[in-house]
């Protein structure tokens, strides 16, 4: 069996917060943020539901399908609108979907965990799954804490995945989790995101390299075969360190964090969309999609674009 990507959509809030604007209220600077993270600005606003609805609607339209074609919705989010109910049923309702809908929380690996979940659903009888990554991280940021405020942004991205008996875009996965590192990046009930940035950085490079190598090995390809790397957009230096160890030049890597910051579950579909807009997604090419995040969790997949 196989699974095809059929359509993609994104959403970002209109409000742009630049590094200079943050420097007005925080002891930081555009130079520090740009040099240490690669981030120049981020989008702020909306909610997981409102952004997820726009991205989901666009992905269905892009796929050329009808609403009634979608038979499952999986939403990856770290920042659901409410603890209960899940945000996915509310998005489904707004979209006019009547299919099953659920949230998945794997922090910044969320989109790839949701794609893996969709793959399993398609293997076991579903025909078309809408996968959305949507985040309202700014709600859980203490805007007087320069450690977190400079990093995060809001946004959403979505993809429609379809069962195809004759072909396959998703060649392999490698996912993992290590709860012994749970305290490195947290947000308690009613609190704000907090992080041991140095340790997250160190571990992120390690798990991305390891999971990417395992995903490539199980797809039967090497780094030389990859036309594109679509990494989770947390910090340009993490991406540089990981791709360098994998032997992949930055020219083959998609970067959107300069404009959006770290949007957690939304970052990989936002980066895919940017690559496609710029003509970098070509039929027959291999791509590595790889994420890491709080948990810790990590997830890599090898994709061969069919269109
Ligand atoms: N603005 C200005 N200065 C800052 C600052 C900020 N926002 N944050 C820290 N500093 C200062 C520190 O106080 C320190 O000053 P000192 O040298 O006088 O002591 C200096 O900058 C270096 O701080 P350090 O913490 O060593 O910076 P870093 O190079 O480790 O970068 C992060 C910090 C957070 C950018 C980096 O560790 C990181 O990106 N980690 C991974 C985070 C991540 O990706 N999380 C999401 C996972 S999904």
């Amino acid at each position: 069996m196989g699974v095809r990507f059929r359509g993609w959509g994104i959403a970002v809030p209109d409000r742009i917060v630049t590094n200079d604007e943050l420097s007005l209220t925080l002891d930081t600077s555009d130079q520090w943020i740009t040099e240490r993270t690669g981030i120049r600005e981020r989008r702020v606003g909306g909610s997981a539901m409102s952004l997820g609805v726009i991205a989901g609607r666009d992905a269905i339209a892009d796929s050329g399908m009808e609403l009634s074609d979608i038979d499952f919705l999986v939403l990856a989010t770290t920042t659901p609108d409410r603890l209960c109910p899940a945000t996915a049923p509310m998005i489904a309702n707004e979209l006019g979907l009547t299919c099953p809908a659920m949230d998945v929380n794997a922090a910044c690996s969320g989109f790839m965990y949701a794609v893996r979940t969709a793959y399993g659903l398609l293997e076991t009888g579903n025909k078309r799954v809408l996968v959305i990554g949507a985040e309202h991280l700014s709600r859980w940021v203490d805007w007087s804490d320069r450690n977190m405020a400079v990093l995060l942004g809001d946004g959403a991205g979505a993809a429609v995945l379809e069962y195809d008996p004759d072909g396959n875009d998703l060649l392999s996965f490698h996912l993992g989790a290590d709860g012994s590192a749970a305290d490195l990046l947290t947000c308690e009930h009613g609190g704000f995101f907090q992080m041991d940035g140095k340790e997250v950085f160190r571990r992120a490079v390690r798990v991305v390299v390891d999971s990417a190598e395992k995903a490539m090995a199980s797809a039967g390809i090497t780094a030389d075969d990859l036309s594109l790397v679509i990494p989770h957009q947390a910090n340009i230096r993490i991406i540089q360190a990981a791709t360098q160890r994998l032997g992949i030049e930055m020219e083959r890597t998609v970067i959107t964090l300069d404009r959006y910051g770290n949007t957690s579950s939304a970052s990989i579909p936002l980066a895919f969309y940017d690559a496609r807009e710029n003509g970098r997604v070509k039929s027959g090419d291999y791509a590595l999609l790889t994420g890491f995040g709080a948990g810790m969790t990590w997830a890599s997949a090898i994709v061969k674009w069919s269109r």
Side-chain angles (χ1 to χ4, degrees), residues 28 32 36 108 146 195 197-198 232 234-235 237-238 262:
T28 190
W32 191 96
R36 299 287 180 135
C108 301
R146 69 178 183 177
M195 176 178 66
K198 274 196 190 311
H232 169 51
N235 183 319
R237 292 189 296 131
I238 293 177
N262 179 349

Side-chain angles (χ1 to χ4, degrees), residues 24 76 79 82 86 117 161 220 223 242 255 257 259 272-273 280 293:
L24 296 174
T79 50
R82 291 184 270 183
T117 302
L161 276 68
I255 301 297
L257 55 77
R259 284 158 283 153
F272 165 85
Y273 205 86
R280 299 177 71 185

Side-chain angles (χ1 to χ4, degrees), residues 9-242:
I10 61 166
V12 289
D14 293 334
R15 171 87 163 92
I16 296 173
V17 177
T18 63
N19 291 346
D20 281 335
E21 184 175 346
L22 289 180
S23 308
L24 296 174
T25 51
L26 293 173
D27 181 15
T28 190
S29 66
D30 177 45
Q31 188 185 354
W32 191 96
I33 302 169
T34 306
E35 283 177 7
R36 299 287 180 135
T37 72
I39 298 165
R40 293 180 181 278
E41 59 188 39
R42 68 287 294 143
R43 302 298 184 101
V44 170
S47 70
M49 182 174 94
S50 67
L51 296 166
V53 165
I54 297 168
R57 187 177 288 134
D58 284 2
I60 295 170
D62 189 48
S63 74
M65 293 177 192
E66 303 294 328
L67 288 172
S68 55
D69 293 330
I70 305 297
D71 59 12
F72 216 108
L73 167 59
V74 183
L75 170 71
T77 186
T78 320
T79 50
D81 287 16
R82 291 184 270 183
L83 194 58
C84 181
T87 304
M90 300 193 291
I91 291 179
N93 182 53
E94 285 290 315
L95 288 174
L97 297 173
T98 52
C99 61
M102 66 176 185
D103 287 8
V104 166
N105 179 353
C108 301
S109 312
F111 188 77
M112 298 314 300
Y113 263 72
V115 167
R116 179 65 187 90
T117 302
Y119 191 91
L121 290 165
L122 293 162
E123 262 183 325
T124 51
N126 288 93
K127 296 294 181 215
R128 295 172 199 96
V129 179
L130 175 61
V131 175
I132 304 175
E135 299 288 4
H136 186 202
L137 296 162
S138 65
R139 178 176 170 185
W140 308 103
V141 169
D142 172 358
W143 289 95
S144 65
D145 172 14
R146 69 178 183 177
N147 292 323
M148 295 307 305
V150 303
L151 300 176
L152 304 180
D154 300 328
V160 176
L161 276 68
E162 183 176 36
Y163 172 77
D164 184 343
D166 301 321
N168 192 19
D169 288 0
L170 273 161
L171 305 187
S172 69
F173 290 98
H174 185 265
L175 282 75
D178 176 8
S180 71
D183 290 340
L184 294 180
L185 176 43
T186 58
C187 183
E188 302 297 338
H189 289 290
F192 298 114
F193 283 107
Q194 293 189 319
M195 176 178 66
D196 176 346
K198 274 196 190 311
E199 187 59 14
V200 171
F201 192 118
R202 205 173 62 78
R203 289 178 186 240
V205 175
R206 207 166 61 206
V207 297
V208 165
V209 171
D210 186 60
S211 75
E213 283 174 342
K214 288 184 169 128
M216 285 190 283
S218 89
I221 66 163
T222 69
D224 290 343
D225 297 315
L226 292 171
S227 298
L228 211 56
V229 180
I230 305 183
H232 169 51
Q233 308 281 314
N235 183 319
I236 189 89
R237 292 189 296 131
I238 293 177
I239 295 171
Q240 284 166 339

